[in-house]
Amino acid sequence: ALDSGAVAFSEVDGLELSYGTSEYNEAGWSTPRKMFDKVSTSALTVKRYLKPRHIAIMGFSLDPVTGWCQDTLKAVKTWEEKVRTKDILIFIYHPLLKNPIPIGPAALPIAGFLVQEAYPTKWGVSALNSTDDSAPIVETIEFQYTEIQRLAVPPA
C-alpha cells in the first residue's frame, strides 16, 4: 500500500485539456466551418511540503513519486531503460466533509481526475536557507501527460 501522506500534495496546477480547431470549406457553404483539430494538455505541476519521509541519505528516498522521478532522470540520461509512464489519480478533498468511517482519509472527495500516460519532466525544491529554520521546503514536480478524465465521485 502506498503511504497516502507521501503522495499527498498541497497544490495541483495544470488539470487542463483543450481542443484546437481549423477551418474547413464545406461544399455548398459560403462560410468555412470550424472543425476539431489537435488535443493539447498543460503541464501538470504538483507541490508538497518536504517531510522527513521524502528524504533519504545519499539520494532519493523510497517515496514512490520521487523514486519515479529518479528512475526517469536515469532513463533519459543513459537510455538504458525505457521511460515509464503512469496514470495518476487526483482526488480533491473538502475539509468540512468528514469521513464517518474511521479508516481511510479524514475527509471525503468532492472531485476526482485521472491523468493518463504521465511522466515527470521537472523536479526541484524551493530555495534553501540555513539561517531561516521557519521557512518550509517545498518540492515541485512537473509532469507531461496525454489525456485527462473527470471522474464521478460518490455523493456525500
Side-chain angles (χ1 to χ4, degrees):
L2 290 177
D3 178 358
S4 60
V7 294
F9 291 91
S10 59
E11 188 177 326
V12 176
D13 187 26
L15 294 170
E16 184 176 274
L17 181 71
S18 62
Y19 297 92
T21 59
S22 59
E23 290 187 350
Y24 175 70
N25 290 322
E26 191 173 6
W29 292 90
S30 60
T31 57
R33 302 280 183 188
K34 297 280 185 182
M35 302 291 286
F36 287 112
D37 201 288
K38 298 176 184 169
V39 177
S40 63
T41 57
S42 297
L44 176 67
T45 303
V46 296
K47 293 183 180 185
R48 65 181 170 183
Y49 296 109
L50 207 59
K51 298 176 183 174
R53 77 174 117 227
H54 303 143
I55 301 169
I57 299 170
M58 300 302 293
F60 284 78
S61 70
L62 295 179
D63 165 50
V65 178
T66 50
W68 180 27
C69 291
Q70 178 67 19
D71 292 345
T72 302
L73 174 66
K74 183 178 176 183
V76 171
K77 282 174 60 174
T78 64
W79 293 110
E80 293 175 3
E81 292 184 35
K82 182 179 176 184
V83 171
R84 293 179 308 157
T85 63
K86 295 185 180 192
D87 293 344
I88 300 172
L89 276 171
I90 297 172
F91 289 105
I92 300 171
Y93 294 93
H94 194 287
L96 299 180
L97 295 176
K98 302 295 182 193
N99 185 356
I101 304 170
I103 58 171
L108 295 173
I110 58 170
F113 301 91
L114 175 61
V115 177
Q116 295 176 305
E117 297 179 353
Y119 56 92
T121 56
K122 189 174 184 181
W123 175 88
V125 295
S126 58
L128 305 174
N129 185 343
S130 65
T131 60
D132 184 7
D133 58 353
S134 65
I137 300 171
V138 177
E139 179 182 36
T140 302
I141 306 170
E142 189 173 285
F143 299 94
Q144 292 296 326
Y145 58 95
T146 58
E147 195 172 332
I148 184 171
Q149 292 179 6
R150 177 81 185 259
L151 303 175
V153 176

